[in-house]
Amino acid sequence: ARLLFQRFLAAAPKHPKADEARAQLTQLDAQLGPDKGAPASRPATPSGGAIPEHDGAANDDVGQLNPFGQAIARAMAAVRVRDPKAAEAAFREALTIQPEDAGAIAGLAEALYQQERIDEATPLAEKAYGIDPTHGQARWIYGLVMIKSGKNIKKALEAWQALQRDDPEFAEQLGITRTLDAVKNIQSGQK
């Protein structure tokens, strides 16, 4: 998925879906760690079978997704086609496998937010942000849900400010920069 998004962005950086692809790349980086590039070829194994650390069957490619990765891939595919109900189902499935994954929890909160189920999204956004307050998507959805619900707005804005500071490009793509500038203008006009 990472390679696909990278190729898409290289070929069409101004495409209407480019921001969504960048957001997905950010989520992948947060969940999988920084991209170290694909290996030149599949490493040989002495037995000719599977690499010992790989959980798959002997004939499975090393790159095959585990069940959690498969659920996340389905969720991301649903997000791309703007199907929040399918995204919700896939994120819930992923969370049965890894219940404390901040990215999956934030993804579920965002899917619920898109369905205007704010009361359900709120505790999930809080949980994702509590698990990893440096996670880009957790910061984004925490701020979005808290502002929409009218709860913890100061802390929500702090989360967005931290996201803007740590990843200004992502914050710009999400519209956070414009929102924070508008808040500053309103606050300075009230003084």
Side-chain angles (χ1 to χ4, degrees):
R2 184 182 287 170
L3 182 59
L4 178 66
F5 287 132
Q6 289 169 340
R7 286 181 179 167
F8 169 74
L9 289 169
K14 301 230 184 256
H15 188 277
K17 299 276 186 179
D19 288 345
E20 192 174 324
R22 285 184 193 92
Q24 294 300 327
L25 271 174
T26 300
Q27 181 179 3
L28 284 170
D29 287 344
Q31 291 174 344
L32 304 174
D35 184 12
K36 295 180 178 136
S41 63
R42 183 176 179 180
T45 57
S47 65
I51 295 175
E53 294 82 14
H54 181 54
D55 291 347
N59 294 328
D60 288 347
D61 281 344
V62 172
Q64 185 174 345
L65 293 175
N66 62 25
F68 176 78
Q70 291 171 1
I72 292 295
R74 282 191 298 280
M76 293 167 69
V79 168
R80 281 190 299 280
V81 297
R82 301 183 193 281
D83 185 349
K85 288 184 180 187
E88 174 190 351
F91 280 123
R92 287 189 188 282
E93 180 184 344
L95 288 167
T96 64
I97 300 165
Q98 291 188 26
E100 298 299 310
D101 184 85
I105 296 167
L108 176 57
E110 188 168 359
L112 294 169
Y113 174 88
Q114 290 173 351
Q115 296 175 66
E116 298 188 26
R117 293 163 56 192
I118 306 304
D119 289 344
E120 294 174 71
T122 300
L124 291 166
E126 291 172 324
K127 181 176 181 178
Y129 187 65
I131 290 171
D132 187 354
T134 64
H135 188 284
Q137 186 181 11
R139 286 174 168 173
W140 155 246
I141 198 62
Y142 177 79
L144 192 64
V145 169
M146 293 301 113
I147 290 169
K148 177 75 172 184
S149 69
K151 299 177 182 177
N152 300 324
I153 292 177
K154 182 179 180 201
K155 191 173 177 184
L157 292 173
E158 289 170 357
W160 278 8
Q161 288 166 340
L163 179 58
Q164 182 183 32
R165 180 190 64 240
D166 295 344
D167 194 347
E169 185 177 315
F170 187 44
E172 181 69 32
Q173 293 166 4
L174 294 170
I176 290 173
T177 303
R178 286 187 308 275
T179 302
L180 291 174
D181 289 345
V183 168
K184 284 179 193 173
N185 289 336
I186 291 169
Q187 289 174 338
S188 66
Q190 293 176 349
K191 289 181 181 179

